[in-house]
Amino acid sequence: MSDENKRRTSVGIYGQQYIIIGTESNEHIRRVAASVDEKMRQISAKNPALDISKLAVLTAVNAVNDYIKLKEQYDLLESEFKKLKD
Amino acid sequence: MSDENKRRTSVGIYGQQYIIIGTESNEHIRRVAASVDEKMRQISAKNPALDISKLAVLTAVNAVNDYIKLKEQYDLLESEFKKLKD
């Protein structure tokens, strides 16, 4: 995709501003950023001694964990769906 | 779940050690950590000037973005599945 089709969205996450460049809508990026911000605040509340880089890494771990578990559910549902279709 | 059912897994992500406490298997946590480490290295290669905390936040943004897109696909598949079952 050419650069002119990419959008720039400015978002605030945990008190810092970020410019996110990509093909997704501004609304989608804001939803993603709000979710990251919320996860960081939840993890920080449970672990107040964490510095911001460790907090962000653990937030990424949390998000990838959610993704992998959902992917397993998705694959299972997809295989059930295919059986039902055939 | 009581604390004795929780596992502690030590993982290395982007040169730092983390203890992850949770109910998932050590193998699952290592897979998650390897995925976070890989994402951080990919984002860092494209943005070498980023400091580690911004790099980790952008990695979390990337992971949550993947999760939200997969969740939309999952919901769509689930609704197709229910239609087919009825």
Side-chain angles (χ1 to χ4, degrees), chain B:
Chain B
M1 184 169 280
S2 65
D3 278 353
E4 64 253 47
N5 289 323
K6 290 195 173 174
R7 288 186 183 89
R8 295 165 68 86
T9 311
S10 171
V11 291
I13 302 173
Y14 210 74
Q16 291 266 0
Q17 285 300 118
Y18 296 85
I19 305 284
I20 311 285
I21 300 170
T23 56
E24 280 92 2
S25 70
N26 295 350
E27 189 201 347
H28 174 86
I29 294 298
R30 287 205 190 92
R31 197 175 144 210
V32 170
S35 170
V36 172
D37 185 81
E38 193 191 337
K39 273 182 193 291
M40 285 183 77
R41 289 177 200 282
Q42 283 169 351
I43 294 172
S44 168
K46 284 187 194 164
N47 309 273
L50 283 180
D51 65 50
I52 185 167
S53 73
K54 286 194 174 174
L55 172 62
V57 169
L58 290 175
T59 303
V61 166
N62 184 290
V64 169
N65 184 32
D66 289 351
Y67 177 86
I68 290 179
K69 288 199 283 190
L70 182 62
K71 184 71 171 71
E72 285 164 359
Q73 285 178 47
Y74 183 88
D75 292 344
L76 207 65
L77 183 64
E78 194 177 39
S79 108
E80 289 297 308
F81 184 73
K82 281 180 180 161
K83 270 190 233 160
L84 212 60
K85 261 178 84 180
D86 293 339

Side-chain angles (χ1 to χ4, degrees), chain A residues 17-58:
Chain A
Q17 285 301 118
Y18 296 85
I19 304 284
I20 311 285
I21 300 170
T23 56
E24 280 93 1
S25 70
N26 294 349
E27 189 200 347
H28 176 86
I29 294 299
R30 286 205 191 91
R31 199 174 142 209
V32 170
S35 171
V36 173
D37 185 83
E38 193 191 337
K39 273 182 194 290
M40 286 183 76
R41 287 177 201 281
Q42 283 169 352
I43 295 171
S44 167
K46 285 187 192 164
N47 310 275
L50 284 179
D51 65 49
I52 185 166
S53 72
K54 286 193 173 175
L55 173 61
V57 169
L58 290 175

Side-chain angles (χ1 to χ4, degrees), chain A residues 67-80:
Chain A
Y67 177 86
I68 290 179
K69 287 199 284 189
L70 183 62
K71 183 72 172 68
E72 286 164 0
Q73 287 178 46
Y74 182 89
D75 291 345
L76 208 64
L77 183 64
E78 194 177 38
S79 109
E80 290 297 308

